[in-house]
Amino acid sequence: MPTMSMIEAIRDAHDVMMARDDNVVVFGEDVGYFGGVFRCTRGLQQKYGRNRCFDTPINESGIVGTAIGMAAYGLRPCVEIQFADYMYPAYDQLVSEAARLRHRSANDFSAPITVRMPTGGGIFGAQTHSQSPEALFTHVCGLKTVVPSNPYDAKGLLISAIETDDPVIFLEPKRLYNGPFDGHHERPVVPWSKHPLSEVPEGYYTVPLGVASVRRPGAALTVLAYGTMVYVAEAAAAETGIDAEIIDLRTLLPLDTDTIVASVEKTRRCVIVHEATRTSGFGAELSATVQELCFYHLEAPIVRVTGWDTPYPHAQEWAYFPGPQRVGEAFRRVMEA
Amino acid sequence: MAATSHTGNGQFPDAGTPVQFTRDEELTAYREMLLIRRFEEKAGQLYGMGFIGGFCHLYIGQEAVVVGMQMAIKPGDQVITTYRDHGHMLATGMDAKGVMAELTGRSGGYSRGKGGSMHMFSKEKNFYGGHGIVGANVPLGAGLAFANKYRGNDNVCLTYFGDGAANQGQVYEAFNMAKLWHLPVIFIIENNRYAMGTAIERAAATTDFSRRGASFDIPGEQVDGMDVRAVRAAGERAVKRARAGEGPCILEMLTYRYRGHSMSDPAKYRTREEVERVREERDPIERVRRRMLEAGMIKEDELKKIDGEIRSIVNAAAEFAQNDPEPDASELWTDVLLPA
């Protein structure tokens, strides 16, 4: 089985779906000729032609808005917003049009679009190239929100996203594109080829939306994580020796509460980790959900480890980033309670 | 595209000698416009009686725009518009009962009560909404046109918006993409001179909206939007171009709404005389009526018969919309997302 990086797996998912379905069109800023700023669409224009994979002007609202119109007429646009931080001009289209078209037309029309965007920090991108805006999407009913953490999932989830008849926000943790980054920024990057989840089947397969994955079984506490934080939590478990059960949520909405509840009822302790800012972050939703569904099983208060409530910094990137040390401290705190 | 004489500041252009309509065409235009007029008057009444709540933007005065454009297109062409949308729905052939029942929030409404006045759709009639966010439908219209081109059909997409929406940034993103990709889209700017209560002169640095595509090299034309013949003629020119692969164009329809922006608008930003003058001199329905009578195309009693037919359609719609059941509470949870 070939090994792929996240980038190669995402590119492969496009390739598979463009070959299977003529309605799949791929576009965005520098997506066609250049192959995408992170090369996730490299070679697709050469293979499928400029009608099916093409460059757009730098206009995110226009990209998403035209995609919705195309989708309403039966196409399957998979578009790239170059960085998640560039999404804000398109937010009106995502919220007011894509997310709501099915409901307000009583199912006459829908907007089956996939909107991919690199998310998160760790690349010294500072305020406008590092943010994690997932909670801005999960707050919007009518959108599905996906965050893959490895090449195998990325390909299978992206194929599922393109096939889904609803709009899907597909957030790609950019620090994971080239390897399973665990927050130890001082160490050299380990490439994906050394990781078992870089083994990606050729051709078509899916990873279903709405299903979490237990990435590390454990008995001491439950970690709810997604994207880059899955590896940070793994490092924290290894370094603290605490037997954490690490759940990679993979899809934030719809949320796999069954897997979460089964784990928390078993471990009776819960740590939630994300890179986004804390207040009203997705961790708040997770914490409320665990409290509502597992309160009588909990032996300690739920703890959140998140980015600080500041703009994403440049010089203090690693002070902001919730690395394995901060996550490990949270593990200890939850175990002591 | 025919050369445009820019008359500036929303004055209605002198159409010169417009293309004449046949008797059938005059009658079609008359019926369609009258249906919209009577429907909207009835909607206003039902609103006053408390059967319609919330927002309700009437199209009275602007009927020639959508009726003339509809006469210029063929089945398969798409229509998308903003929130003053009842006229567009009726003109595309959507059933008056379903539209009125959506206004009253009943289960027989086009969106089963989930959309209301501003949000109705019909796949069957190629009507893509009804969009409540000013200007947000414009990129969708470009996307629909893209899909036509991608599919290789010869459909065009009529994308309507108002003079207010014409100041929104995303409209220009759509203009650029439409021209860049030669999309078969016609941008119809319904300039009724007031964006809610703001006169165009107070909101727009340039009020000749037909020229808003100039920097993208999109041709534009100002059209007497109170003359259904002028609208259809301009529409036919634009549609012909778009079908031939010559890309988008802008039709600025100089029109006027007689009522307030919405039901809560006392329209203090303009004089009663201004409204009366347009009504008396320019009314699109009265102009057709007078033309037909003067040309001896029709007799008064035949017109009365048509008026009666229209009234019964509208009355039946109102009757239905008041008596149709409200949607079940469970409908709130349907059509949000498909099951995972």
Side-chain angles (χ1 to χ4, degrees):
Chain A
M1 200 179 289
T3 64
M4 292 187 191
S5 70
M6 283 268 272
I7 291 167
E8 290 160 338
I10 288 162
R11 191 213 154 275
D12 198 39
H14 284 96
D15 195 354
V16 167
M17 290 311 293
M18 291 180 86
R20 279 172 73 94
D21 184 354
D22 283 346
N23 288 320
V24 175
V25 289
V26 174
F27 56 99
E29 293 155 12
D30 269 321
V31 157
Y33 181 79
F34 195 79
V37 66
F38 290 103
R39 303 296 190 275
C40 289
T41 54
R42 189 164 50 96
L44 296 174
Q45 185 174 77
Q46 287 88 328
K47 187 166 177 183
Y48 295 99
R50 285 164 60 183
N51 283 340
R52 297 193 60 201
C53 179
F54 52 93
D55 300 314
T56 66
I58 298 176
N59 56 348
E60 291 78 13
S61 176
I63 291 168
V64 175
T66 50
I68 295 165
M70 295 176 201
Y73 200 64
L75 302 191
R76 292 260 159 190
C78 180
V79 304
E80 179 178 288
I81 299 294
Q82 196 164 71
F83 286 83
D85 315 68
Y86 302 175
M87 170 280 297
Y88 304 111
Y91 197 59
D92 178 30
Q93 286 293 336
L94 290 169
V95 175
S96 304
E97 301 292 340
R100 304 289 153 75
L101 193 55
R102 183 188 297 283
H103 190 75
R104 73 167 178 251
S105 70
N107 209 30
D108 219 5
F109 292 106
S110 61
I113 62 171
T114 301
V115 184
R116 295 178 36 247
M117 48 187 105
T119 186
I123 64 156
F124 287 105
Q127 292 186 13
T128 58
H129 295 73
S130 307
Q131 295 166 89
S132 298
E134 62 271 16
L136 298 179
F137 303 117
T138 57
H139 191 59
V140 178
C141 57
L143 299 177
K144 293 182 175 177
T145 301
V146 176
V147 189
S149 72
N150 59 72
Y152 178 90
D153 284 354
K155 180 175 170 185
L157 286 166
L158 183 54
I159 289 173
S160 287
I162 293 170
E163 288 187 325
T164 296
D165 287 331
D166 281 309
V168 178
I169 306 296
F170 197 84
L171 293 160
E172 300 165 2
K174 63 176 88 75
R175 191 59 214 244
L176 296 184
Y177 273 146
N178 290 308
F181 177 68
D182 65 3
H184 283 294
H185 55 95
E186 70 285 1
R187 297 177 192 165
V189 179
V190 180
W192 275 114
S193 55
K194 303 237 164 96
H195 195 283
L197 287 170
S198 70
E199 289 190 6
V200 175
E202 289 180 46
Y204 176 89
Y205 69 92
T206 61
V207 172
L209 305 189
V211 180
S213 161
V214 179
R215 287 289 299 278
R216 182 193 189 281
L221 59 84
T222 296
V223 184
L224 303 181
Y226 47 92
T228 314
M229 290 302 133
V230 171
Y231 303 97
V232 174
E234 283 179 355
E239 287 156 24
T240 58
I242 292 172
D243 186 21
E245 177 148 297
I246 299 169
I247 295 177
D248 178 356
L249 297 174
R250 301 199 289 196
T251 302
L252 307 188
L253 200 145
L255 184 64
D256 181 0
T257 49
D258 290 349
T259 299
I260 294 170
V261 168
S263 178
V264 175
E265 287 186 354
K266 180 180 76 174
T267 65
R268 298 170 173 263
R269 290 175 162 84
C270 183
V271 173
I272 295 161
V273 194
H274 63 59
E275 193 183 329
T277 50
R278 182 181 184 86
T279 302
S280 302
F282 192 64
E285 180 64 30
L286 291 171
S287 178
T289 302
V290 171
Q291 187 277 132
E292 284 165 8
L293 300 176
C294 308
F295 181 78
Y296 294 107
H297 293 270
L298 287 171
E299 289 184 12
I302 302 160
V303 168
R304 285 180 288 163
V305 189
T306 68
W308 307 124
D309 282 343
T310 67
Y312 204 102
H314 178 60
Q316 304 94 338
E317 175 145 51
W318 302 113
Y320 173 94
F321 189 93
Q325 193 187 335
R326 253 158 70 193
V327 175
E329 284 163 14
F331 286 5
R332 290 196 195 93
R333 195 145 34 105
V334 167
M335 293 311 293
E336 285 159 12
Chain B
M1 174 134 306
T4 303
S5 70
H6 293 294
T7 49
N9 284 351
Q11 295 301 306
F12 296 100
D14 182 356
T17 315
V19 181
Q20 298 302 308
F21 271 12
T22 64
R23 181 178 187 274
D24 280 353
E25 288 166 342
E26 293 279 35
L27 273 175
T28 299
Y30 181 73
R31 266 179 211 282
E32 294 293 318
M33 291 194 290
L34 195 65
L35 174 63
I36 296 170
R37 175 77 50 99
R38 296 287 175 257
F39 180 96
E40 294 290 61
E41 286 166 354
K42 183 61 80 177
Q45 282 172 20
L46 292 184
Y47 195 97
M49 292 158 71
F51 281 102
I52 299 170
F55 293 82
C56 187
H57 310 94
L58 303 180
Y59 199 64
I60 295 173
Q62 302 182 209
E63 296 91 343
V65 175
V66 72
V67 169
M69 285 308 299
Q70 204 66 25
M71 291 175 83
I73 63 174
K74 66 168 178 58
D77 293 335
Q78 303 109 334
V79 174
I80 186 167
T81 188
T82 55
Y83 55 84
R84 194 177 306 284
D85 55 359
H86 312 162
H88 302 71
M89 294 185 265
L90 296 172
T92 57
M94 287 167 69
D95 178 26
K97 284 183 183 170
V99 178
M100 196 70 93
E102 188 62 34
L103 297 181
T104 56
R106 305 305 170 102
S107 58
Y110 266 99
S111 296
R112 296 206 297 274
K114 294 170 178 183
S117 164
M118 299 177 279
H119 313 112
M120 276 179 255
F121 302 80
S122 172
K123 191 169 264 178
E124 187 199 345
K125 302 293 182 191
N126 284 306
F127 181 67
Y128 286 77
H131 296 263
I133 304 292
V134 177
N137 64 310
V138 182
L140 270 67
L144 286 161
F146 182 98
N148 290 336
K149 189 169 178 177
Y150 186 81
R151 290 252 194 268
N153 63 38
D154 69 344
N155 295 338
V156 302
C157 179
L158 304 187
T159 300
Y160 290 88
F161 52 103
D163 50 276
N167 295 321
Q168 282 275 22
Q170 56 183 325
V171 168
Y172 297 89
E173 297 188 6
F175 282 2
N176 184 44
M177 294 168 108
K179 181 65 184 187
L180 183 68
W181 298 330
H182 306 289
L183 302 181
V185 56
I186 298 164
F187 298 109
I188 302 152
I189 304 179
E190 298 193 58
N191 177 5
N192 66 19
R193 303 199 207 182
Y194 298 93
M196 208 166 92
T198 303
I200 49 173
E201 293 81 8
R202 289 195 284 129
T206 56
T207 56
D208 182 343
F209 293 97
S210 70
R211 296 165 68 187
R212 288 294 181 97
S215 63
F216 308 100
D217 207 14
I218 298 177
E221 187 176 350
Q222 280 188 322
V223 182
D224 180 356
M226 307 297 275
D227 182 346
V228 68
R229 301 169 304 177
V231 172
R232 191 191 69 169
E236 282 177 341
R237 286 194 292 275
V239 165
K240 192 175 165 200
R241 263 188 101 254
R243 277 202 221 294
E246 291 172 45
C249 67
I250 294 170
L251 297 179
E252 179 190 359
M253 298 293 175
L254 298 165
T255 184
Y256 201 79
R257 67 169 151 74
Y258 300 168
R259 299 289 185 94
H261 159 76
S262 64
M263 302 308 289
S264 61
D265 171 15
K268 295 234 163 102
Y269 43 83
R270 59 186 183 184
T271 61
R272 190 182 294 258
E273 291 70 35
E274 177 183 305
V275 182
E276 283 310 313
R277 198 173 60 245
V278 178
R279 275 189 105 115
E280 276 163 28
E281 296 173 6
R282 292 270 165 192
D283 185 76
I285 299 172
E286 191 52 34
R287 281 163 93 174
V288 178
R289 188 185 144 82
R290 220 178 296 148
R291 270 204 307 273
M292 287 193 294
L293 286 171
E294 281 167 9
M297 280 180 179
I298 200 160
K299 296 194 179 72
E300 281 279 5
D301 57 339
E302 289 173 281
L303 284 172
K304 274 201 182 110
K305 189 163 164 269
I306 292 169
D307 293 3
E309 286 162 11
I310 299 288
R311 272 188 203 286
S312 48
I313 293 170
V314 170
N315 287 338
E319 190 71 17
F320 178 74
Q322 291 171 77
N323 296 309
D324 193 48
E326 291 184 0
D328 190 81
S330 63
E331 280 283 353
L332 175 61
W333 304 97
T334 60
D335 307 326
V336 179
L337 280 171
L338 297 177

